[in-house]
């Protein structure tokens, strides 16, 4: 039968920890019960294993941060003409040049169809004077965060989607490409058009 080491026979680091654990247990009135709020040093041959407990407070902050990140984007159904602080996370499904056929095929605007994680479609447009500055930043199929844009009613006969609203880029609009693949946002989407 293996003889239990006395306190004096233990190495200094283990002896000191054992004494601290003993005093802590006596102080809290639960002698012999492990206190996982402190560092627990256990002898295993000639090695020391140090276990640290994970604070529940830090865990809560971590999960709250993840939750906040997932909730910080506005969906396309939530945007309105009254909101000017929306932040979108969308995929560019289609992108094309709107051309004035009657006037020597002059460029009118750079237009796009955007989709979010809910599958909502919206028409976005960049006017002629800003089209060339935004064109290099945008690619079909990529996902972007978009802020500082305008929202207006989608009036007129030219309506590529059924959404009653339309997004307009302006000089302060910010576009940031998100790297990696996001399965939550559809790669394709269509709507049936009505012909009278």
């Amino acid at each position: 039968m293996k003889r239990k080491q006395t306190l004096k026979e233990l190495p200094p680091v283990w002896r000191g920890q054992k004494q601290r654990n003993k005093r802590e247990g006596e102080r809290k009135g639960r002698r012999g019960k492990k206190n996982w709020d402190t560092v627990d040093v256990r002898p295993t041959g000639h090695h020391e294993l140090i276990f640290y407990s994970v604070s529940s407070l830090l865990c809560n902050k971590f999960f709250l941060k993840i939750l906040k990140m997932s909730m910080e984007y506005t969906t396309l159904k939530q945007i309105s003409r009254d909101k000017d602080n929306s932040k979108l996370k969308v995929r560019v499904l289609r992108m094309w040049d709107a051309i004035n056929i009657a006037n020597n095929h002059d460029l009118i605007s750079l237009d796009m169809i955007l989709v979010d994680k809910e599958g909502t479609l919206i028409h976005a447009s960049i006017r002629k004077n800003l089209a060339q500055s935004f064109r290099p930043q945008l690619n079909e199929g990529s996902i972007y965060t978009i802020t500082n844009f305008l929202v207006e009613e989608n009036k007129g006969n030219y309506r590529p989607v059924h959404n009653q609203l339309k997004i307009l880029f302006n000089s302060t609009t910010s576009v940031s490409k998100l790297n990696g693949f996001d399965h939550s946002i559809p790669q394709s989407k269509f709507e049936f058009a009505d012909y009278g």
Side-chain angles (χ1 to χ4, degrees), residues 5 9 11 14 23 34 45 49 55 57 67-68 83-84 86 104 108 118 125 129 132 135 144 168-169 175 189 191:
Q5 288 181 302
E9 292 174 330
W14 300 337
R23 289 195 299 269
K34 291 183 176 62
L49 297 179
S55 170
L57 179 60
L67 183 61
K68 183 179 179 181
K83 291 183 178 180
D84 58 357
S86 299
N104 199 26
I108 300 174
E118 295 182 346
S125 184
N129 60 327
Q132 298 308 318
R135 191 187 298 273
Y144 300 88
L168 288 179
F169 285 38
V175 177
K189 186 79 175 179
E191 292 179 344

Side-chain angles (χ1 to χ4, degrees), residues 91-93 95 135-144 177:
R91 187 190 301 276
V92 178
L93 289 183
M95 185 167 64
R135 191 187 298 273
Q137 305 178 49
L138 299 165
N139 294 290
E140 285 189 358
S142 297
I143 298 175
Y144 300 88
K177 184 177 181 180

Side-chain angles (χ1 to χ4, degrees), residues 8-46:
K8 292 183 179 180
E9 292 174 330
L10 289 173
V13 63
W14 300 337
R15 183 165 60 245
Q17 184 62 42
K18 191 176 182 70
Q19 289 173 331
R20 286 192 294 274
N21 287 346
K22 181 179 179 182
R23 289 195 299 269
E24 185 71 9
E26 290 174 347
R27 186 177 67 83
K28 294 186 177 182
R30 46 189 178 136
R31 184 172 181 175
K33 187 175 182 180
K34 291 183 176 62
N35 179 18
W36 293 103
D37 292 331
T38 60
V39 179
D40 183 20
V41 182
R42 298 181 179 184
T44 56
H46 297 288

Side-chain angles (χ1 to χ4, degrees), residues 35-121:
N35 179 18
W36 293 103
D37 292 331
T38 60
V39 179
D40 183 20
V41 182
R42 298 181 179 184
T44 56
H46 297 288
H47 299 85
E48 302 171 10
L49 297 179
I50 303 178
F51 299 92
Y52 294 94
S53 64
V54 180
S55 170
S56 60
L57 179 60
L58 292 178
C59 287
N60 289 339
K61 286 184 178 180
F62 176 74
F63 288 114
L64 285 174
K65 184 177 180 180
I66 294 178
L67 183 61
K68 183 179 179 181
M69 290 175 62
S70 65
M71 296 176 62
E72 65 179 347
Y73 297 109
T74 304
T75 65
L76 291 176
K77 288 182 179 179
Q78 294 173 328
I79 66 172
S80 69
R81 299 180 63 185
D82 300 328
K83 291 183 178 180
D84 58 357
N85 60 346
S86 299
K87 182 178 181 181
L88 302 179
K89 181 181 179 183
V90 292
R91 187 190 301 276
V92 178
L93 289 183
R94 296 289 181 269
M95 185 167 64
W96 69 96
D97 290 336
I99 297 174
N100 188 349
I101 301 176
N103 189 18
N104 199 26
H105 290 79
D106 284 347
L107 178 67
I108 300 174
S109 60
L110 175 62
D111 288 44
M112 297 167 287
I113 301 297
L114 308 178
V115 63
D116 65 3
K117 65 179 182 179
E118 295 182 346
T120 304
L121 298 174

Side-chain angles (χ1 to χ4, degrees), residues 148-183:
N148 299 328
F149 52 88
L150 300 176
V151 179
E152 67 174 22
E153 290 184 23
N154 197 2
K155 299 179 180 179
N157 296 326
Y158 181 59
R159 298 176 63 177
V161 294
H162 293 157
N163 201 317
Q164 300 297 319
L165 298 176
K166 178 181 178 180
I167 289 176
L168 288 179
F169 285 38
N170 57 36
S171 58
T172 63
T173 300
S174 175
V175 177
S176 299
K177 184 177 181 180
L178 297 179
N179 297 320
F181 190 80
D182 191 337
H183 292 273

